[in-house]
Amino acid sequence: QVQLVESGGGLVQPGGSLTLSCAASGSFLNRYIMGWYRQHPGNQREMVALITAGGSALYAESLKGRLTISRDNAKDTVTLQMNSLKPEDAAVYYCNAESTVTGNHYWGQGTQVTVSS
């Protein structure tokens, strides 16, 4: 079982930056791919960025170049740095942990990101 708590969402102006953080707790976290997903109202949740315990990262093609995902295995945290934010980036962002052993997914409660002037 993994518990995830996100922080860092809020209101930002277009073109601005925001950093989201996720604190994970549980056992064998090095066996999980950590990542961020987002969900726009009425839409399905979509992958934003993923990172393995070894630090390999994968980004949604449409968001590449504006995001940086990082992971601190010693502190069990995952951070998403978002730059040049656009109004369409506004969504609820969810931290995710996917077990490489079972394939199970665990989710945080979500954090709202609003991009508006």
Side-chain angles (χ1 to χ4, degrees), residues 35-70:
W36 291 91
Y37 289 69
R38 70 184 185 184
Q39 189 168 20
H40 296 97
N43 288 358
Q44 289 188 335
R45 210 166 286 188
E46 60 180 358
M47 188 274 288
V48 173
L50 304 174
I51 188 167
T52 67
S56 297
L58 176 70
Y59 298 96
E61 195 64 33
S62 61
L63 300 173
K64 236 181 233 186
R66 297 196 292 123
L67 306 178
T68 302
I69 188 170
S70 59

Side-chain angles (χ1 to χ4, degrees), residues 19 25 33 51 57 59 64 81 84 90:
T19 300
S25 59
I33 297 171
I51 188 167
Y59 298 96
K64 236 181 233 186
Q81 172 71 38
S84 304

Side-chain angles (χ1 to χ4, degrees), residues 26-39:
S27 301
F28 305 111
L29 290 174
N30 61 329
R31 297 180 184 178
Y32 289 82
I33 297 171
M34 304 297 296
W36 291 91
Y37 289 69
R38 70 184 185 184
Q39 189 168 20

